Amino acid sequence: AGREVFGADALELVEVAEAHYLDPRRRRPEDDPERGAALKSLVLVATCLRADFAPFLDALVPPLLEAAATAPDVVVDDAEGDVVVRTEALEEQATAVALVERLADALGARFADYVESCLVAIAPLATASLADDVRQRAVVALAGLVGCVAAKERDDAALLRRPAYEPAATRAAAVFALAALLEALAAEEEPEPRLAALQALRATIEVASRTAYAEPPRGSL
């Protein structure tokens, strides 16, 4: 109902935010606190507009992936020998990955064109991130991204009135995600990220298996 009530206002808000926070020629610095808040707000708008938000993905996805891929500063205290990590960077990573996952969930098939770049950016975080939260969010996002590709192939098959189809893109995405999830599962020692990896592994297998034998929805032929 939200889209029908304030969809036009939301689109106007997105256009303003895009100009001030996402346009490479005018956007504010990466460390501007308002920029992070704007990205969160845009994703919330996307959950409302869903498919209507698709035209803005080209502007929103790259800065999210930049934030996800930014390595946190690690400093060694010479006096104490302690390793100090800038926690703000880890929080930014966790937020960026979570926002990508929310976008994938909100837009489904319309997010499929961005899945490959998201998989490449997020998969390493499932094992390499120093933060449990980032690793946990990364494995959840991987499963959701595979679902977008599966939805796109189902929609395409229904549109073309094909009762049977070869889900090549879904299988490719699933193979990539499964390799990352298995690596994360083998390396993970913390219980919550490990459980999340198991659940994401199961979800990815279910999506890939269901797509391999599925037919377009009834009534589409």
Side-chain angles (χ1 to χ4, degrees):
R3 177 169 47 184
E4 288 74 18
V5 173
F6 62 88
D9 292 336
L11 286 173
E12 183 177 351
L13 170 63
V14 170
E15 291 170 353
V16 172
E18 180 183 19
H20 288 279
Y21 296 100
L22 302 180
D23 188 334
R25 297 166 298 178
R26 294 184 292 169
R27 71 185 187 190
R28 300 190 183 190
E30 300 288 338
D31 57 355
D32 187 327
E34 290 187 11
R35 186 166 182 265
L39 294 177
K40 292 180 184 179
S41 298
L42 287 174
V43 174
L44 289 175
V45 172
T47 62
C48 168
L49 297 180
R50 294 190 176 273
D52 292 339
F53 190 85
F56 302 98
L57 289 174
D58 280 345
L60 179 56
V61 173
L64 288 178
L65 296 185
E66 287 174 13
T70 301
D73 295 330
V74 179
V75 180
V76 178
D77 188 327
D78 294 332
E80 301 293 334
D82 296 331
V83 176
V84 180
V85 180
R86 189 170 71 88
T87 58
E88 293 87 348
L90 294 176
E91 292 172 359
E92 291 169 6
Q93 274 191 336
T95 298
V97 174
L99 293 178
V100 168
E101 194 275 329
R102 292 189 67 174
L103 279 176
D105 181 64
L107 279 90
R110 300 298 296 270
F111 198 74
D113 290 343
Y114 303 88
V115 165
E116 182 177 356
S117 59
C118 290
L119 286 173
V120 171
I122 292 174
L125 301 178
T127 53
S129 178
L130 299 173
D132 298 356
D133 189 31
V134 175
R135 298 196 304 275
Q136 183 171 339
R137 291 180 183 274
V139 297
V140 173
L142 291 175
L145 290 167
V146 175
C148 292
V149 182
K152 175 69 161 53
E153 288 195 310
R154 286 196 303 271
D155 288 354
D156 288 348
L159 184 64
L160 296 173
R161 299 178 180 274
R162 294 163 55 192
Y165 61 102
E166 178 67 22
T170 301
R171 287 175 177 169
V175 167
F176 185 94
L178 288 171
L181 290 169
L182 287 171
E183 183 179 356
L185 192 59
E188 188 58 65
E189 297 180 353
E190 298 301 323
E192 291 188 6
R194 186 174 179 81
L195 176 60
L198 281 169
Q199 293 172 336
L201 190 67
R202 178 179 177 179
T204 302
I205 292 173
E206 287 179 349
V207 169
S209 300
R210 185 167 60 247
T211 304
Y213 300 102
E215 294 185 358
R218 292 185 179 182
S220 64
L221 298 180

